[in-house]
Amino acid sequence: MYHYTTISFPGLGLELNPPRILELGPLTIHFYGLIIATGLILAAMYGMKRSKQFGLNEDQILDGVLWVTPFAILCARAYYCAFSWPMYADNPISVLYIWEGGLAIYGGVLGAIVGVLVYCKCKKISVGAVLDVVALGFLIGQAMGRWGNFFNREAFGAETDCFLRMGLFNTATQAFEYHHPTFLYESLWNLAGFIMLHFASKHRRYDGQIALGYVAWYGLGRAWIEGLRTDSLYIGSTGIRVSQLLAAASCAVAVIILVYFAMKRPSKDKLFVNRVAQAQKETEQGGDNHE
């Protein structure tokens, strides 16, 4: 029997009732935040494991996470609140209630880019190489993080009768309605993008190539998926979905740049990892000459 908090997938024969919070004595943990934190940890672990292949080391990845994460979270929240201000105007302090949901991934991406630029400037390391690692980490975090929307019963699409339809209780109509599970679409899209770019990263020709691939892949999927959603952020009263517009534009720009470099075929010698290896080799040779 359905409960008003039940989430059903009739096409898959599933009925679920995931809790929004986990109470451990006096401690209340929101699954939304827990899932996002788990995604961040998995992304950091992945970045550390692959750091040497990008000319970086584990300490630089950990330091980068500490630098970039605050920028990403603050900008993700600011982006969301800026385009949905009427929800917070009567109680501005609620802008800080991040555990209740309300993060815009494009705000997070923009914040992360700013964080990377500042971090690389201070540490004097390759922006492109770091962005490549960050892009792969983003796909891990996004694929994982979208399940926070599932627990919060948010970020779903328009009504549908498709095979993957998701049933949710509408308190206004007192009836179950079936929607596109856009959180699932985006999670699977990001997972597929991660697998593809993970293998592509082993054959990259220049720093920033994987980051551009991420922008193109994510932008393409988001431009489609955003059109299915019912909770999009709009540019004023224009009826234009801001994230859909940004997704399509960023995808087009990224594809143009990727095609340009594909025609130019830059030398792999300029990859940051190869420059670091060459510098280490010269240092070792210099040491041998002094002996």
Side-chain angles (χ1 to χ4, degrees), residues 91-110:
N91 184 27
I93 193 66
S94 62
V95 166
L96 303 178
Y97 300 165
I98 197 170
W99 57 86
E100 293 183 352
L103 295 175
I105 189 58
Y106 268 116
V109 170
L110 294 173

Side-chain angles (χ1 to χ4, degrees), residues 4 18 27 46 100 140 155 165 196 208 218 221 226 251 260:
Y4 74 93
L27 184 64
Y46 174 85
E100 293 183 352
I140 293 173
R165 63 191 181 279
M196 177 182 66
Y218 182 70
E226 189 69 21
C251 176
Y260 169 77

Side-chain angles (χ1 to χ4, degrees), residues 3 21 32 85 113 119 164 166 187 208 228 242 259 271 281:
H3 186 266
I21 62 173
Y32 181 87
W85 181 244
I113 291 173
Y119 174 67
L164 289 175
M166 176 177 66
S187 180
L228 299 175
V242 61
V259 170
L271 280 168
K281 182 178 179 180

Side-chain angles (χ1 to χ4, degrees), residues 225-246:
I225 295 169
E226 189 69 21
L228 299 175
R229 289 177 58 168
T230 59
D231 60 346
S232 297
L233 303 177
Y234 291 89
I235 301 176
S237 58
T238 63
I240 299 174
R241 290 179 166 93
V242 61
S243 291
Q244 189 174 37
L245 176 62
L246 185 56

Side-chain angles (χ1 to χ4, degrees), residues 68-100:
V68 172
T69 301
F71 281 95
I73 294 177
L74 289 173
C75 288
R77 184 61 172 175
Y79 183 106
Y80 181 86
C81 293
F83 287 101
S84 54
W85 181 244
M87 294 173 56
Y88 304 96
D90 293 336
N91 184 27
I93 193 66
S94 62
V95 166
L96 303 178
Y97 300 165
I98 197 170
W99 57 86
E100 293 183 352

Side-chain angles (χ1 to χ4, degrees), residues 64 68 74 161 178 207 215 230:
V68 172
L74 289 173
D161 59 357
Y178 297 92
D207 295 315
V215 173
T230 59

Side-chain angles (χ1 to χ4, degrees), residues 205-206 260-268:
R205 300 193 64 87
Y206 55 91
Y260 169 77
F261 278 110
M263 295 173 63
K264 191 175 180 181
R265 293 188 63 80
S267 171
K268 288 187 177 183

Side-chain angles (χ1 to χ4, degrees), residues 8 22 34 39 52 55 65 81 84 117 147 154 168 174 178 198 217-218 224 237 240 261 263 273 278 284 286:
S8 67
L22 174 65
L34 180 63
K52 290 183 179 179
V65 170
C81 293
S84 54
L117 292 174
W147 286 90
E154 63 186 6
L168 294 169
Q174 293 294 302
Y178 297 92
H198 166 78
W217 179 262
Y218 182 70
W224 163 59
S237 58
I240 299 174
F261 278 110
M263 295 173 63
V273 63
Q278 181 63 30
E284 292 172 357

